[in-house]
Every structure is written in structure tokens, then in C-alpha cells.
Amino acid sequence: WNGFKKTLGDNNRQITKEQVIEELKNFEKEYGRFPTIRDLRKYRLITDWTMRNLFGSYGTAIRAAGGKPNVWRKKKNDCLV
């Protein structure tokens, strides 16, 4: 990831879908999982905006890299009367 960050600098606008997919796969190989949005923010990798701009959503980017995004579902609560 450090080499990738140096390549990008502070300008995420020049990154391509292929570069994002490659780096998501590299992260997965190194850490055994795909990065979360929190990882992206913590390590200042790719911005949320860039992911949405290129893929429409972060989940779509993960799928494009061969991963399965987490699905968060609200639990049904019993109605209190």
C-alpha cells in the first residue's frame, strides 16, 4: 500500500478502476481480507468519493476485485405499544 500511496500522491482523481482493483487484491493478499472504508480512511488510501465515482459504491469495487462486501441489515425490533 505504501508504494501505491506514493504513486497517487494526494490526487486520487488520476487513479483507474484497474489500479483500484489491483490494490484491493494486494491488500487482501497481505491482510487476508479486503480493506474496509475505515481502513481506507485510516491509512489515507483511496477516498470514499473516488470509490463511488469509479464504481458507484464501495461494495461494487469489492465485487469487481473478487470479494464479497459486508451486508449490514437492520434487525427487526418488536413494536412496543
Side-chain angles (χ1 to χ4, degrees):
W1 278 104
N2 287 335
F4 182 62
K5 285 169 47 177
K6 288 177 186 174
T7 300
L8 287 180
D10 290 328
N11 189 356
N12 281 331
R13 284 176 257 143
Q14 295 178 1
I15 189 170
T16 65
K17 282 185 175 184
E18 292 77 19
Q19 288 173 308
V20 171
I21 290 169
E22 181 180 340
E23 293 307 319
L24 289 173
K25 288 179 179 180
N26 289 342
F27 187 99
E28 194 270 334
K29 285 180 187 174
E30 187 172 339
Y31 296 100
R33 63 180 176 79
F34 285 95
T36 62
I37 292 290
R38 185 175 286 165
D39 291 328
L40 297 178
R41 290 178 183 157
K42 180 179 177 182
Y43 300 110
R44 298 178 189 251
L45 301 173
I46 304 164
T47 65
D48 299 359
W49 182 88
T50 299
M51 298 297 271
R52 284 192 299 271
N53 188 42
L54 290 173
F55 293 94
S57 71
Y58 184 70
T60 303
I62 294 295
R63 281 187 214 94
K68 184 176 178 183
N70 290 332
V71 178
W72 297 94
R73 295 189 178 123
K74 291 184 180 180
K75 291 182 180 181
K76 292 184 178 181
N77 293 328
D78 293 334
C79 294
L80 298 175
V81 180

